[in-house]
């Protein structure tokens, strides 16, 4: 149907996702390694951290290399747990990020890191 075709077209435009419910104790490198172990095809990963504790805030943004890679990543991650961290009861939730694209995500990540440094 036309509605379905339009929905598929919209979905293919998304390349950047917000990944919710990441175990808080994990570092950027641990999240990165876990995603790589699932063969997720991404080019930017941003794991916001609390400037005081250094812990992540329980969510991350990742930009997939294509709309197809986004769909594959969403299927692999949504309603699952990060591999290697089964001790956590947190179930991952995937949703399209408000900011889309590699350049925009890098810009957002740099701005947040700068803001974190200023507040110390």
């Amino acid at each position: 149907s036309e509605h379905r075709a339009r929905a598929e077209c919209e979905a293919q435009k998304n390349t950047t996702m917000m990944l919710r419910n990441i175990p808080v104790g994990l570092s950027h490198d641990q999240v990165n390694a876990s995603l790589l172990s699932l063969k997720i095809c991404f080019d930017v990963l941003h794991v916001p951290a609390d400037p005081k504790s250094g812990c992540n805030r329980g969510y991350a943004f990742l930009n997939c290399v294509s709309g197809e890679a986004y769909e594959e990543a969403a299927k692999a991650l949504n309603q699952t747990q990060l591999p290697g961290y089964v001790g956590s009861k947190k179930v991952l939730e995937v949703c399209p990020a408000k900011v889309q694209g590699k350049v925009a995500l890098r810009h957002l990540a740099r701005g947040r890191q700068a803001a974190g440094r200023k507040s110390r």
Side-chain angles (χ1 to χ4, degrees):
S1 76
E2 185 182 322
H3 182 319
R4 186 168 167 251
R6 193 179 313 137
E8 284 176 9
C9 183
E10 288 295 316
Q12 287 178 355
K13 289 179 188 172
N14 288 331
T15 58
T16 309
M17 67 175 62
M18 180 180 194
L19 190 57
R20 296 180 176 157
N21 298 327
I22 291 186
V24 175
L26 302 185
S27 69
H28 179 281
D29 289 346
Q30 288 171 309
V31 174
N32 188 55
S34 194
L35 293 171
L36 289 173
S37 77
L38 289 171
K39 311 259 189 287
I40 304 293
C41 296
F42 62 96
D43 49 17
V44 180
L45 173 65
H46 175 47
V47 184
D50 182 294
K52 291 179 183 159
S53 69
C55 293
N56 78 63
R57 296 179 184 250
Y59 60 91
F61 297 96
L62 67 139
N63 187 70
C64 298
V65 296
S66 68
E68 282 181 6
Y70 176 98
E71 292 300 315
E72 289 172 19
K75 284 178 193 165
L77 294 169
N78 199 38
Q79 300 302 308
T80 65
Q81 293 180 305
L82 279 178
Y85 304 101
V86 290
S88 170
K89 292 189 170 112
K90 292 194 168 194
V91 175
L92 300 175
E93 187 181 320
V94 173
C95 62
K98 289 179 185 171
V99 172
Q100 288 291 318
K102 177 168 68 171
V103 173
L105 183 57
R106 281 190 177 144
H107 181 73
L108 175 75
R110 272 198 299 269
R112 290 203 171 148
Q113 287 167 351
R117 283 193 294 267
K118 286 177 194 166
S119 66
R120 285 187 194 156

